[in-house]
Every structure is written in C-alpha cells, then in structure tokens.
Amino acid sequence: MLDNIIDGLKPLAIDIASLTPDPDNARRHSDRNLDAIARSLSQFGQRKPIVVQKQGMVVRAGNGTLDAAQRLGWKQIAAVIVDEDSAEAAAFAIADNRTGELAEWDHRALAATLTALNDNWVDYDPHLLGFDEGEVARLMADFAPFDAAGDPPIATVPGEAEPKAAPPKKTKAAPEQVQLPDPVAPQTTGVQAVQLFLDPTQHEAVLEDIRALSAHFQTTNVTDTVIRALQSARKSHGV
C-alpha cells in the first residue's frame, strides 16, 4: 500500500525492511521531533524522498523520517538511492543537516502565516506544524500584526472555547494627549512582559495602552510599538 506517499514519489518506493539506519548519524531525534515528523507524515503524506547509500542500503538523509514512518507502521518509503563511497555519503549527511539548521525564521512572516492558517485552514493545529500552544501565543504577542480594528490577534488553542468578548472600548485619547509610560523597570524581563500580555485580568488594559501608543507612534505591530515607546521613554529620562 502506497497511500501514504504522494503520486510523484511512488515510483521511488522501496521496502523499509531493506534499509539500515545510519549507525554513525550525528543528528539525534528527540521524542518531540519524531512525534512532529509522524504528525506531518500522517497529515500530508511523504512529499520528499529520503537519501540512501546503495552500499549497505544505509539511510544518509531522512533517518528521522524513517523512524517516524516505522512508528506509523509503514512498510514502504520513497527513497533516492545514491551509489557512492562511505566517506562521501557521510559528508553529505553532515552537510544536509548543517545547511538546514543555518536557516532562520522571519518571525513576522511566520506570525502572519499562522494567523492566516488559524483563520482559513479547517485542520489547523500548531502541533501539526511542530509548535505547541505556548510557543504560538508568545510568537503572536511579539510579532503578529494588528488587525483592521487596531487589535493584535489573540492566539487561541484549537478545541478550546473562544475568548469572552472584551468590554466596550474606551474612547481613545487624541495622539497629542498620550502619556508615555515610565521606563520599564530593570527587573522586568521579556518573559514577564509576555505573561502580563496573556493575563486575562490585564489583557484589555494592556491592549488599550498598546492601541494608544500605536496611534501616537504610527506603528503597525506590537513589537515596533513597544520598541518605540521604550526608546522615547529612555530619551526623555536621559538614558
């Protein structure tokens, strides 16, 4: 059965029993990593082949995918078989892992994409994408753009009830009446700031402050607003 492999890769399918995991693999896969791979394979199917050295049928790229597929009970997997010596195969394995980890996230673009997925994809679940709810909430608090109403979107956990409606908004003060806050105390950390933003008892008050500061500084997201406010406060205090 090849139902778990996309059509374009089915000609590359081979028996998993014929493969040998790389005994010298320098890359370790945690349970969370393997669980994320397995979730992806279950949801999307196999969309890229693993790489196998012909000599010994050793998996040189895709050991995590192989492990996850076995956990799912797969009997076949799509693979590209390369005829090369062990030194070159080992070098490729390191390069394949290293080049991937040198990439970086564009956090604003990621937050915007996750927001769109949450709104438009019926199967949205952050675990399918390798994230947990706390990571998504922190990402949204720091990088999500404001919506049309001037509010930063609130990340919700799939399966939980929608947040209660916020009380009516107070009339916004004119930009010239906005009072900048005192500089943030030295002991205030990024973690504490996120906790304050996510505290249900403080959420509306924090949003009201952010809206006023955003209008004053003409910024469009939470991070830029906070940075501009802190810069202005530090300058006004001669810091």
Side-chain angles (χ1 to χ4, degrees):
M1 296 293 290
L2 302 179
D3 294 342
N4 297 315
I5 303 173
I6 63 169
D7 290 343
L9 293 183
K10 286 180 179 178
L12 300 178
I14 60 176
D15 291 338
I16 285 180
S18 68
L19 300 174
T20 301
D22 186 351
D24 299 319
N25 186 20
R27 193 73 165 175
R28 294 291 178 258
H29 298 278
S30 66
D31 287 338
R32 181 185 177 186
N33 177 222
L34 293 173
D35 181 63
I37 297 172
R39 286 174 184 268
S40 177
L41 290 175
S42 296
Q43 176 70 28
F44 307 111
Q46 187 186 3
R47 299 193 176 194
K48 60 181 181 180
I50 64 174
V51 179
V52 177
Q53 179 189 1
K54 185 176 181 179
Q55 181 182 357
M57 295 298 285
V58 178
V59 177
R60 293 300 189 173
N63 281 276
T65 299
L66 173 64
D67 194 333
Q70 290 176 310
R71 295 185 182 201
L72 292 172
W74 290 18
K75 301 302 181 184
Q76 292 185 301
I77 195 168
V80 172
I81 300 176
V82 181
D83 190 2
E84 59 187 355
D85 61 43
S86 294
E88 187 172 3
F92 168 76
I94 293 174
D96 180 67
N97 285 313
R98 181 57 176 163
T99 53
E101 69 182 13
L102 289 176
E104 298 179 354
W105 286 109
D106 180 331
H107 289 99
R108 286 188 176 84
L110 176 60
T113 300
L114 291 177
T115 299
L117 287 175
N118 190 35
D119 292 340
N120 302 309
W121 185 34
V122 67
D123 292 326
Y124 176 78
D125 177 349
H127 293 280
L128 284 174
L129 312 178
F131 295 93
D132 62 34
E133 292 85 353
E135 290 169 335
V136 172
R138 289 189 292 274
L139 179 70
M140 294 301 177
D142 286 343
F143 296 101
F146 288 105
D147 62 20
D151 299 332
I154 301 173
T156 58
V157 178
E160 290 190 354
E162 292 295 322
K164 294 181 180 179
K169 298 178 182 178
K170 299 177 182 179
T171 303
K172 295 181 181 179
E176 60 271 13
Q177 297 175 332
V178 173
Q179 298 296 316
L180 294 177
D182 291 333
V184 176
Q187 67 269 23
T188 300
T189 67
V191 172
Q192 290 171 318
V194 170
Q195 291 173 336
L196 176 64
F197 186 85
L198 297 178
D199 182 353
T201 65
Q202 299 291 329
H203 193 74
E204 183 60 28
V206 172
L207 287 182
E208 199 63 40
D209 290 340
I210 291 175
R211 294 186 195 105
L213 290 169
S214 175
H216 180 74
F217 292 113
Q218 298 183 332
T219 50
T220 59
N221 63 68
V222 177
T223 301
D224 289 345
T225 301
V226 173
I227 290 175
R228 289 293 303 277
L230 290 175
Q231 289 175 335
S232 179
R234 288 170 63 84
K235 182 181 295 185
S236 68
H237 286 75
V239 178

